[in-house]
Amino acid sequence: MAGPRVVIIGAGVVGAALADELSCRGWTEITIVDQGPLPATGGSSSHAPGLVFQANPSKTMTELARYTVEKLAALDVDGQPCFLQVGGLELATTPERLTELARRHGWLTSWGVEARLVGPDECVALHPLVNRERVLGGLLVPTDGLAKAVLAVEAQIRAARARGVRVLDRHEVLDIRTRADGTTGGDRVTSVVTDRGEIPADVVVCCAGIWGPKVARMVGMSLPLTPLAHQLAWTGPVPALAGQTAEAVRPILRHQDADLYYRDHFERLGIGSYGHRPMPVSADDIAPPDSAGQMPSVLRFTADDFADAWTETRSLLRATRDTKIEEGINGLFSFTTDGMPLLGESPEVKGFWVAEAVWVTHSAGVGRAMAEWLVDGHCSSFDLHECEINRFEPHQLAPAYVRARSCRNFVEVYDILHPLQPPGAPRPLRTSPFHVRQRELGAFFLEASGWERPQWYAANEPLLDRWDIPTPNDWAARMWSPIVGAEALATRESVALYDMTALKRLAVEGPGAAAFLQRLTTSDMDKSVGSVTYTLMLDENGTIRSDITVARLARHRFQVGANGNLDLDWFTRHLPEDGSVAVRDITAGTCCIGLWGPKAREVLQPLADADFSNEGLRYFRARSAHIGAVPVTALRLSYVGELGWELYTSADLGLKLWDTLWEAAQPYGGIAAGRGAFNSLRLEKGYRAFGTDMTYEHDPYEAGVGFAVKREKGDFIGRAALERRAADVRRRLTCLTIDDPSAVVMGKEPVYEGDRPVGYVTSAAYGYTIGKGIAYAWLPVELSTPGRALDIGYFDRRIAAVVAEEPLFDPAMRRLRGLSGDAR
């Protein structure tokens, strides 16, 4: 036997895939435990209809689905295939949906999945039951199909067993035992207690699906997952399908305008609906296998909730008028607050991992990702930053929040969602001390990590008399106002206040703090007090874990501008055992104003008790000062490419700081500006955003941030792997410009060289200073030469774009350094 002792709780499609993938990598001291009988244990896998559609706005989710398709298509059980590759067809019955299908086709092209848009006649040819009069067009993905979930469980369990994996069905997990871990200060798993005995364990992976919250609670972990009932019904024999001897011969269908999907089943049809009211269930209320009816994850079918779905089905698929609904279920599936899986290790209990909220569509991919993560210490096949369990802020784990947002995700699962569309209730949750003033200025708020963050201010509408702001296309004009452009130009001309409170702030303190940061980052952290450093954190494979800004405020005290809770989790996991370093999240107790623009010094200096001249506080330096009566920590840096400072103070003094700066800025035409202007200005300067422009799958040299790697410093996490990557850059994050002012793209669109897709857009906006659209895109290195003409696929259009030298604005950094001269 090899590897640590692993217990996988749950033998559905995820647990089976993980056992198979782990044992493939040489770990064989593995036990799978499930309370139900194999291979249909009674969880969601046992009743799942099995439709696998790969289209997803998330590159990661599409790649997880693609691997699942490839793996299951190669598996069988005694000659029975585990995947029926009949293709997937998404239908449009409204002009809005037809436009949306073009956007979805763009995603698939960006992520490398074959797909094509088809007309209404071809939709009918592909699926003759479809009513030609109702359909405007469709999206065909030939590699989609039907996963036979129970067979997939059986096939992967057999393979794992052949390598020595032990499988224990009909074993109910009662508890997970832990002991104090002397190295981390937390706990560590030691065993899993079942109703048939105790199983020693070094690693426990919760793949319990709808029971996940109950299992996680055994180690004190709050799992943001809600089981919700989803209706699945089966017709009687459909005369038009009479004589069909194969289980499925037509593409699986999605009719998202009505929240419906369909699949063949010999002479019958399966119909799934998301169009009914949300039906959340507590994991504690799900019946155990022995006392459940059909199975624990299957609840009584509520026919009234299905009435509208059946009416719509008989209109779209008219052949169903000759049959009736013979049976149905309300089947339980896992939903999360943001629609993404929950993957990773508990922050409190070493060795307790979760692979939860994973549907059949992504199951084998998640199995591979988790196996790589466990065996290698990182996942090399997929970028998992959207899926990591520790991404959530504390308020996002509140039961009321989890339930409300999970139900909303159920309602919106097939909706056309704009990329900037904010989530619904509960809002507002987190408000900065400036919120009252922002409301007085008519702020239009979007949400960032629960914070209400202004996108623009209605009070700035008079600025439109000064500038002619181009109007983008209809899609880009949603969640947008021409005021965004006016705020950007006003920032460049005078001065603006930006609310930066939503930026995660960490305090890193103690005698070992400098050495700790040296180990975790790519830059030299052992610099003088008052230094500010932009740096990277890497994974063991040399790819970017995050980019952060570190200010040394005292010999043993640093302030870190981070990207979110995953950075806090990363820091915490790497704390030295000797207690010489402490890390605290100080975000909630502090606030930040970005005061930026060529007039920023004229506003700030008369208020300050310290020297804010170029000589008094140089670029990328920090100092303490008083602004009026308010003590602040001032960092001289700017993400909009203008002279200015990030000004931090405690939350109780935030409103006073705002009012002080606001009053002083008025004689100079100062304004408050929102995130829309911020995004335009940062792209003009070429500043990257982690999670959008660069992720776990990219290294610094590809992403254009190699300057933050100081190879002359000592060792740091990921250095050895990065050295191997440095000489082999094959792709590059590249700046494109677009001349057509109406052709503003939004991100995730495919980039073409002629008819060949070659990459995809990350961030995009209109550059109001330079008078062009801006799109950053991942491209092969040979296509990233300035001047090269390319096209961006935007819905059903091709938009001409040109590779540009970056940065587009102030390449000599004269504005940032407070020097005179035109920077354009």
Side-chain angles (χ1 to χ4, degrees):
M1 306 293 280
R5 298 169 299 178
V6 179
V7 176
I8 299 171
I9 301 174
V13 283
V14 180
L18 177 56
D20 183 31
E21 297 282 346
L22 274 177
S23 58
C24 274
R25 287 162 176 77
W27 283 18
T28 54
E29 199 165 346
I30 300 168
T31 302
I32 309 176
V33 180
D34 200 293
Q35 62 182 342
L38 280 166
T41 59
S44 301
S45 301
S46 301
H47 73 259
L51 287 80
V52 175
F53 289 94
Q54 296 166 84
N56 197 290
S58 165
K59 182 173 184 282
T60 297
M61 295 298 275
T62 295
E63 290 176 340
L64 292 169
R66 179 167 53 197
Y67 180 80
T68 300
V69 166
E70 292 169 354
K71 181 177 183 180
L72 298 191
L75 297 179
D76 71 272
V77 175
D78 302 330
Q80 300 179 76
C82 293
F83 192 79
L84 305 177
Q85 202 153 47
V86 294
L89 179 62
E90 301 189 33
L91 301 175
T93 59
T94 64
E96 294 78 12
R97 183 65 62 177
L98 189 64
T99 302
E100 168 72 356
L101 292 186
R103 184 169 73 123
R104 297 174 70 82
H105 178 256
W107 297 339
L108 289 160
T109 304
S110 292
W111 315 147
V113 177
E114 178 192 355
R116 61 188 177 91
L117 295 166
V118 297
D121 290 335
E122 189 169 357
C123 289
V124 176
L126 289 164
H127 202 298
L129 272 62
V130 170
N131 180 356
R132 170 63 178 80
E133 297 175 2
R134 292 287 315 279
V135 178
L136 302 178
L139 173 62
L140 176 68
V141 183
T143 52
D144 285 348
L146 288 164
K148 307 288 291 179
V150 174
L151 288 178
V153 168
E154 178 69 15
Q156 293 175 99
I157 289 289
R158 285 187 184 183
R161 269 181 166 146
R163 301 184 196 103
V165 172
R166 183 170 61 151
V167 181
L168 303 177
D169 62 352
R170 302 183 187 277
H171 281 60
E172 182 184 359
V173 173
L174 303 177
D175 196 10
I176 299 169
R177 297 201 190 283
T178 63
R179 61 170 171 79
D181 183 61
T183 61
T184 65
D187 290 336
R188 176 182 292 274
V189 297
T190 59
S191 65
V192 173
V193 180
T194 78
D195 59 349
R196 299 193 182 188
E198 190 167 344
I199 307 168
D202 304 304
V203 174
V204 175
V205 188
C206 177
C207 303
I210 54 178
W211 290 278
K214 186 176 180 180
V215 173
R217 211 163 47 239
M218 295 176 184
V219 295
M221 186 178 187
S222 179
L223 201 64
L225 179 158
T226 303
L228 280 116
H230 157 61
Q231 291 200 300
L232 176 65
W234 297 95
T235 70
V238 179
L241 303 181
Q244 180 174 315
T245 57
E247 180 178 343
V249 297
R250 296 165 186 80
I252 53 176
L253 284 181
R254 271 208 279 205
H255 176 26
Q256 298 187 83
D257 287 320
D259 298 308
L260 291 166
Y261 63 77
Y262 305 94
R263 56 152 297 174
D264 286 16
H265 190 73
F266 300 102
E267 297 183 342
R268 308 165 72 203
L269 281 178
I271 307 167
S273 172
Y274 291 99
H276 54 80
R277 61 191 169 91
M279 305 177 194
V281 175
S282 169
D284 296 316
D285 294 335
I286 302 171
D290 292 341
S291 60
Q294 184 176 347
M295 64 179 71
S297 62
V298 170
L299 306 181
R300 182 180 60 84
F301 185 63
T302 51
D304 288 348
D305 291 304
F306 198 74
D308 290 344
W310 182 229
T311 298
E312 177 63 21
T313 295
R314 285 180 293 174
S315 173
L316 181 72
L317 308 177
R318 287 190 293 192
T320 58
R321 296 174 181 176
D322 298 323
T323 186
K324 61 182 180 179
I325 298 297
E326 285 197 344
E327 58 181 304
I329 62 171
N330 288 4
L332 295 178
F333 288 93
S334 300
F335 281 78
T336 61
T337 58
D338 59 4
M340 300 297 286
L342 308 174
L343 309 179
E345 188 180 23
S346 162
E348 306 293 341
V349 180
K350 186 75 172 174
F352 183 79
W353 293 70
V354 298
E356 286 288 341
V358 181
W359 293 2
V360 175
T361 300
H362 310 102
S363 57
V366 167
R368 176 173 179 168
M370 292 296 295
E372 290 179 351
W373 199 349
L374 285 162
V375 174
D376 302 330
H378 59 84
C379 176
S380 57
S381 295
F382 309 98
D383 162 35
L384 297 180
H385 84 273
E386 296 173 296
C387 307
E388 284 201 33
I389 180 62
N390 299 309
R391 64 188 182 269
F392 299 104
E393 297 289 330
H395 73 273
Q396 294 172 320
L397 300 176
Y401 179 96
V402 172
R403 186 183 180 97
R405 288 287 169 91
S406 297
C407 287
R408 183 177 180 89
N409 278 324
F410 176 90
V411 170
E412 293 180 342
V413 70
Y414 279 175
D415 286 1
I416 299 171
L417 300 177
H418 192 273
L420 294 179
Q421 184 168 325
R427 278 185 71 191
L429 281 166
R430 309 173 84 181
T431 57
S432 78
F434 325 129
H435 186 71
V436 63
R437 296 291 184 261
Q438 293 165 346
R439 291 184 62 187
E440 291 169 0
L441 293 171
F444 178 84
F445 291 100
L446 297 180
E447 189 189 79
S449 299
W451 293 98
E452 294 294 314
R453 184 167 66 185
Q455 193 74 358
W456 68 82
Y457 294 86
N460 292 325
E461 188 172 2
L463 293 173
L464 296 176
D465 295 335
R466 298 181 54 197
W467 291 293
D468 184 18
I469 304 300
T471 300
N473 57 80
D474 175 66
W475 186 247
R478 301 182 190 184
M479 309 289 169
W480 175 87
S481 165
I483 296 171
V484 167
E487 291 178 357
L489 293 171
T491 303
R492 293 274 189 240
E493 182 180 277
S494 181
V495 63
L497 281 68
Y498 287 82
D499 183 357
M500 301 298 290
T501 302
L503 175 71
K504 189 79 156 179
R505 291 174 291 286
L506 308 176
V508 181
E509 301 167 315
F516 171 71
L517 290 168
Q518 284 283 62
R519 171 67 178 155
L520 262 65
T521 70
T522 62
S523 303
D524 183 11
M525 294 292 107
D526 197 11
K527 297 191 288 190
S528 63
V529 172
S531 63
V532 180
T533 307
Y534 172 82
T535 189
L536 308 171
M537 296 192 294
L538 306 183
D539 221 327
E540 293 288 355
N541 61 347
T543 54
I544 300 170
R545 180 81 195 184
S546 186
D547 67 336
I548 58 175
T549 302
V550 181
R552 190 169 199 173
L553 304 182
R555 184 181 178 191
H556 299 314
R557 179 164 58 91
F558 297 79
Q559 179 174 304
V560 176
N563 281 302
N565 218 53
L566 289 179
D567 290 346
L568 173 60
D569 179 64
W570 187 253
F571 276 11
T572 303
R573 290 181 186 281
H574 289 87
L575 285 172
E577 299 173 12
D578 61 6
S580 63
V581 183
V583 176
R584 294 182 294 117
D585 183 351
I586 60 172
T587 311
T590 57
C591 58
C592 178
I593 295 173
L595 182 72
W596 294 316
K599 303 293 186 182
R601 182 174 285 121
E602 295 172 60
V603 172
L604 188 66
Q605 186 62 77
L607 302 171
D609 65 350
D611 184 2
F612 280 88
S613 68
N614 274 341
E615 296 74 24
L617 186 62
R618 300 190 307 276
Y619 185 54
F620 263 79
R621 297 289 296 179
R623 75 177 314 153
S624 297
H626 288 87
I627 306 303
V630 180
V632 302
T633 298
L635 274 58
R636 188 175 168 191
L637 55 107
S638 165
Y639 286 101
V640 301
E642 294 291 339
L643 170 69
W645 300 266
E646 289 181 359
L647 302 171
Y648 295 89
T649 191
S650 56
D652 59 323
L653 291 169
L655 185 58
K656 182 62 176 177
L657 177 62
W658 178 281
D659 288 345
T660 301
L661 293 171
W662 178 261
E663 182 180 358
Q666 295 315 293
Y668 300 96
I671 64 165
R675 190 69 178 186
F678 177 95
N679 197 50
S680 171
L681 298 171
R682 75 139 180 119
L683 287 176
E684 289 182 336
K685 280 299 294 179
Y687 293 145
R688 278 69 167 140
F690 180 81
T692 303
D693 298 314
M694 53 191 187
T695 68
Y696 293 178
E697 64 178 310
H698 304 117
D699 72 43
Y701 304 112
E702 298 171 329
V705 289
F707 64 86
V709 178
K710 306 305 179 185
R711 300 172 77 168
E712 66 275 11
K713 70 172 280 188
D715 194 22
F716 54 85
I717 293 173
R719 175 171 186 147
L722 186 62
E723 294 288 344
R724 296 190 293 270
R725 287 174 169 269
D728 189 30
V729 176
R730 301 183 182 183
R731 58 184 174 178
R732 183 163 286 139
L733 185 62
T734 304
C735 180
L736 304 174
T737 59
I738 302 165
D739 287 336
D740 182 353
S742 70
V744 177
V745 301
M746 300 292 293
K748 304 186 178 181
E749 297 89 358
V751 179
Y752 293 88
E753 181 193 33
D755 292 330
R756 180 173 69 103
V758 291
Y760 60 91
V761 174
T762 57
S763 293
Y766 190 77
Y768 298 99
T769 314
I770 65 167
K772 292 178 183 288
I774 306 169
Y776 272 78
W778 281 101
L779 296 174
V781 68
E782 63 272 16
L783 298 180
S784 62
T785 307
R788 181 178 289 275
L790 299 167
D791 292 310
I792 298 173
Y794 188 64
F795 292 92
D796 58 353
R797 299 174 56 191
R798 291 290 181 89
I799 294 172
V802 177
V803 176
E805 196 81 49
E806 58 173 332
L808 299 169
F809 178 80
D810 191 19
M813 298 181 68
R814 296 184 62 84
R815 307 269 288 211
L816 274 169
R817 298 185 183 279
L819 304 174
S820 60
D822 188 1
R824 302 188 191 187

